[in-house]
Amino acid sequence: RYVWTSERRQLVILDPPPPDPSPRATAVPYPTLAFLPSPAPTNMAFPKSKSMWVHFSVLSLLTIAQCGIPSVMVTVSCVLIFLWVTFSTIYYMCKKPAEAAPSAPLLPSSSGEDKAPSVAPSGKKERLYYLDNLKIFLTAVVILHHQTCSFVGNGWYFNIGNYSNSFQAVGNALLAQNQSYFMCAFFFISGYFTPTSFDRKGHFLFLRDKFKRLGIPYVTFCLVLAGLLGLIYQAGAHHDVKWEPTPNPGPLWFVGWLLVFNTAYANTDHSTPTVMSCPTPSKMLLWCFFINILNWIVMIFGGGTFAYMPLTFGSLPFDVMHFYGGCIAKRNRWLESGVEGGIIEIMDKHRKKMYSTIAFFSVAMFGYSIYYQQSTPADDYDEASNTPSLIGLFVISWLFISLMLFCQLDFFRNHFNSTGKWSKILSGAAYTAYIIHPFFVCSMTAAFVAIYEASTGETLVFEDGRTDSETVLDSDAWLWGGWAVCTLLSVTLTFFFAYWIRELVPGAKQII
């Protein structure tokens, strides 16, 4: 039997269950419920059922409006989130804390005294270094992704190669696969660390810290960095250089939506732990199939962006699912060793099948993309209107969203679950690298354009008002070589400067 004591903010065992002789823990061990830390409800928190219904209803209504009147809602949603993040950041930076950060929940000791736990209830605290290393990898993938966009002719600030070519076929396949999983993985990792942060700091301090570390970079990018970035790609596209006054967070749309999710989480009553087993691959495939249908409806009718979020593969509904999935994973210890029904046990049973499925369909997509590009006249080449391509994109996005996160968590746990000097440096610089990487991607592309024009005597044409070029290069080898070199330089320089920005700029480590 258990009783909730609001004074201690904990569940107290009245009749402790007998010790479990099994060497393995369950996904949510019966005794562990007494030790799941959760702050007492605040005045701003709804009861859980009502809160989740309110949040879901608001997001659903906005999404329906986005699909119904996209020409209006694209602008309205962007303005609303920009104003909300801006004024909320100002509010939390100016307001003094009204509450002290809660200490760790007190646990009853054998002597009858209360003490704070020094380790997890299940025993020795497990440090998941592989999540730090996965974060480094995903940040590098984001840089690679955007550099690839710039060489396939669309999807970025400044693009070349916007015509039928061999690199575009492979690049588009790579982009579709990346887009299906990498932002979902970011949201999952962010969600995983949310419950402990909220428990440790309490409602106000939790949100104050989030708006400090996320809101300040978001507003700064919108008002300052976006304009500076515009100067780079306008010069690279041979246009008159002028300041773009329209706020635009660029890739920091992710940060804005993290603030939305964190605020929703903070205004939900978590006094009763959410008990849920890790879904099996078959359940993920089933759920994600229907959610992917919804996602494609939003993609087709949503107008391209929603509060700056690109509506593409693995976007809005999956981002919501993965953030809250990360929160639930933390509460239920899905990533820890020795947890029955956790991700480790699931991968031990299904590892070969899941790896093989991802590899087979990935290679198949690359193969078909190359075949379609080589067998289709340049004037008729359009994957967006090709039925087999669209079916393949649906299947690939569905499979990658369903299985890729499991595979990545398993792979990095088995091969990169350690830390060292370089791991700490790169992990610490990853968030800063994410913020500043557009400057290096655009600069490398502009440098490539300058080198190509100087070497060949040709001029890449960028029509007025556009920063993508349809000029056909002398050879596809220029695109392949330029992409490889620019990607290597962009990743290297971005992390290099990210590290030194954190080291040299006073107070930078407190924010980025």
Side-chain angles (χ1 to χ4, degrees):
R1 292 184 299 143
Y2 299 87
V3 62
W4 171 260
T5 61
S6 58
E7 296 83 2
R8 293 182 176 178
R9 300 183 179 187
Q10 67 175 123
L11 287 167
V12 177
I13 302 177
L14 298 182
D15 297 322
D20 184 2
S22 172
R24 299 180 59 82
T26 57
V28 183
Y30 177 63
T32 305
L33 287 175
F35 307 107
L36 289 175
S38 296
T42 67
N43 293 332
M44 296 184 66
F46 299 105
K48 179 176 295 184
S49 58
K50 180 180 178 182
S51 178
M52 296 311 296
W53 173 252
V54 170
H55 299 158
F56 176 78
S57 299
V58 171
L59 183 59
S60 298
L61 289 174
L62 289 174
T63 305
I64 292 172
Q66 178 82 17
C67 295
I69 46 174
S71 58
V72 175
M73 285 301 297
V74 166
T75 301
V76 170
S77 63
C78 291
V79 171
L80 286 177
I81 194 170
F82 169 72
L83 293 177
W84 173 72
V85 173
T86 300
F87 287 108
S88 296
T89 302
I90 295 173
Y91 169 79
Y92 280 102
M93 293 302 97
C94 295
K95 185 175 176 59
K96 294 182 179 180
E99 62 183 79
S103 59
L106 299 177
L107 305 181
S109 65
S110 58
S111 63
E113 299 178 352
D114 292 332
K115 60 181 181 179
S118 59
V119 296
S122 57
K124 185 178 179 181
K125 185 175 182 180
E126 182 179 7
R127 174 70 176 179
L128 306 181
Y129 291 112
Y130 69 90
L131 290 182
D132 293 333
N133 295 324
L134 177 57
K135 183 176 64 174
I136 297 169
F137 170 78
L138 291 172
T139 304
V141 170
V142 168
I143 302 172
L144 175 147
H145 183 89
H146 290 145
Q147 193 70 73
T148 305
C149 288
S150 69
F151 275 79
V152 300
N154 61 80
W156 189 238
Y157 295 101
F158 179 42
N159 310 293
I160 61 175
N162 192 12
Y163 59 91
S164 176
N165 59 77
S166 60
F167 178 78
Q168 188 182 60
V170 174
N172 281 334
L174 176 64
L175 294 177
Q177 294 178 29
N178 286 345
Q179 193 68 60
S180 297
Y181 76 88
F182 69 158
M183 297 314 298
C184 292
F186 270 122
F187 277 111
F188 179 88
I189 294 173
S190 299
Y192 186 81
F193 292 107
T194 295
T196 50
S197 178
F198 180 72
D199 293 344
R200 186 174 67 253
K201 298 173 183 177
H203 182 275
F204 179 83
L205 293 179
F206 171 78
L207 288 178
R208 189 175 191 270
D209 179 69
K210 292 302 178 183
F211 278 98
K212 176 183 177 181
R213 300 196 70 250
L214 303 178
I216 291 177
Y218 183 94
V219 175
T220 302
F221 200 103
C222 283
L223 299 180
V224 181
L225 299 184
L228 294 175
L229 184 62
L231 304 181
I232 295 176
Y233 62 73
Q234 289 174 34
H238 312 310
H239 294 326
D240 294 333
V241 176
K242 59 182 180 179
W243 185 268
E244 292 288 346
T246 305
N248 187 345
L252 267 70
W253 68 263
F254 164 72
V255 171
W257 276 90
L258 262 187
L259 286 171
V260 172
F261 296 154
N262 279 308
T263 302
Y265 184 91
N267 288 297
T268 304
D269 179 11
H270 300 284
S271 58
T272 303
T274 299
V275 179
M276 179 179 175
S277 299
C278 182
T280 61
S282 58
K283 287 184 178 179
M284 282 295 293
L285 288 167
L286 180 62
W287 294 348
C288 290
F289 179 82
F290 292 104
I291 298 175
N292 203 29
I293 294 175
L294 173 62
N295 188 68
W296 274 64
I297 293 173
V298 175
M299 283 171 52
I300 294 170
F301 299 103
T305 58
F306 179 34
Y308 295 114
M309 175 191 288
L311 298 178
T312 180
F313 313 118
S315 57
L316 180 59
F318 290 109
D319 292 340
V320 176
M321 183 183 82
H322 280 79
F323 176 82
Y324 284 100
C327 297
I328 296 172
K330 180 62 177 181
R331 290 294 191 201
N332 293 270
R333 304 167 51 216
W334 291 354
L335 304 189
E336 296 181 23
S337 302
V339 175
E340 184 177 345
I343 286 181
I344 297 173
E345 182 178 271
I346 288 175
M347 290 305 300
D348 287 342
K349 293 179 180 179
H350 304 284
R351 181 176 292 112
K352 290 183 178 180
K353 292 180 180 179
M354 295 174 70
Y355 279 36
S356 299
T357 300
I358 290 293
F360 174 80
F361 281 94
S362 177
V363 172
M365 185 177 189
F366 280 114
Y368 179 78
S369 296
I370 296 172
Y371 163 78
Y372 177 66
Q373 189 273 330
Q374 294 292 326
S375 62
T376 305
D379 293 339
D380 299 329
Y381 178 70
D382 183 9
E383 288 186 309
S385 61
N386 178 256
T387 301
S389 294
L390 291 176
I391 294 174
L393 288 172
F394 180 89
V395 172
I396 284 292
S397 60
W398 166 52
L399 292 174
F400 270 62
I401 293 166
S402 304
L403 306 178
M404 191 63 165
L405 179 60
F406 282 79
C407 294
Q408 286 185 320
L409 291 170
D410 177 72
F411 182 81
F412 274 81
R413 178 186 175 275
N414 289 329
H415 301 284
F416 298 99
N417 194 18
S418 61
T419 189
K421 176 183 177 181
W422 285 105
S423 177
K424 292 178 180 178
I425 289 175
L426 295 175
S427 176
Y431 179 40
T432 308
Y434 183 91
I435 295 171
I436 67 174
H437 82 271
F439 290 89
F440 296 94
V441 173
C442 289
S443 296
M444 291 302 103
T445 307
F448 171 82
V449 170
I451 292 173
Y452 176 81
E453 292 179 339
S455 301
T456 63
E458 299 179 1
T459 300
L460 272 66
V461 177
F462 296 85
E463 297 182 4
D464 291 340
R466 294 177 56 179
T467 54
D468 63 298
S469 175
E470 298 179 355
T471 302
V472 179
L473 275 61
D474 281 349
S475 169
D476 288 358
W478 277 99
L479 292 172
W480 284 98
W483 168 79
V485 173
C486 287
T487 298
L488 177 62
L489 291 175
S490 291
V491 173
T492 304
L493 292 175
T494 297
F495 274 96
F496 176 81
F497 279 92
Y499 170 77
W500 284 111
I501 287 173
R502 283 170 44 85
E503 291 293 322
L504 300 178
V505 177
K509 289 185 178 180
Q510 303 301 317
I511 300 175
I512 56 176

